[in-house]
């Protein structure tokens, strides 16, 4: 099935609802949406948005686990921690995952 990319024209709420709706049948599409949501939330550089990013990342973790891609999750979260090692609030939020 072909999906239209969800871009900046849609709010985060719409993007999250779309990801949730397709996560069981089309996990790769849901992963793509959640990756974008995590990246956008981190870029806002505030503890609250880091908490939101960690929430999206938790959903990513569940999708990766449910589709047998645990190592892909581990690589992703390691990369996030390494790329953001000078953001202690972000590291703190991601430590909870």
């Amino acid at each position: 099935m072909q999906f239209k990319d969800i871009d900046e024209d849609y709010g985060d709420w719409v993007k999250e609802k779309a990801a949730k709706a397709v996560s069981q049948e089309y996990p790769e599409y849901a992963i793509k949406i959640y990756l974008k949501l995590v990246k956008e939330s981190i870029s806002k550089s505030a503890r609250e948005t880091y908490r939101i990013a960690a929430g999206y990342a938790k959903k990513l973790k569940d999708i990766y686990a449910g589709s047998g891609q645990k190592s892909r999750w581990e690589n992703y979260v390691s990369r996030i921690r390494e790329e953001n090692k000078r953001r202690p609030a972000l590291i703190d939020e991601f430590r909870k995952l």
Side-chain angles (χ1 to χ4, degrees), residues 39-96:
K39 184 177 180 179
E40 290 170 357
S41 296
I42 289 172
S43 73
K44 295 175 184 169
S45 298
R47 167 136 344 231
E48 182 57 32
T49 60
Y50 295 158
R51 189 172 295 123
I52 292 167
Y56 293 141
K58 168 70 171 97
K59 292 173 183 176
L60 263 174
K61 180 181 180 180
D62 295 342
I63 294 169
Y64 281 135
S67 59
Q69 300 181 66
K70 185 178 177 184
S71 64
R72 191 170 165 198
W73 160 255
E74 291 168 353
N75 291 336
Y76 171 71
V77 78
S78 292
R79 190 174 68 245
I80 289 292
R81 289 178 178 143
E82 179 61 30
E83 290 172 357
N84 296 282
K85 61 186 171 191
R86 295 183 185 213
R87 296 180 179 190
L90 175 68
I91 298 302
D92 183 48
E93 293 300 328
F94 272 67
R95 188 175 295 123
K96 301 170 187 175

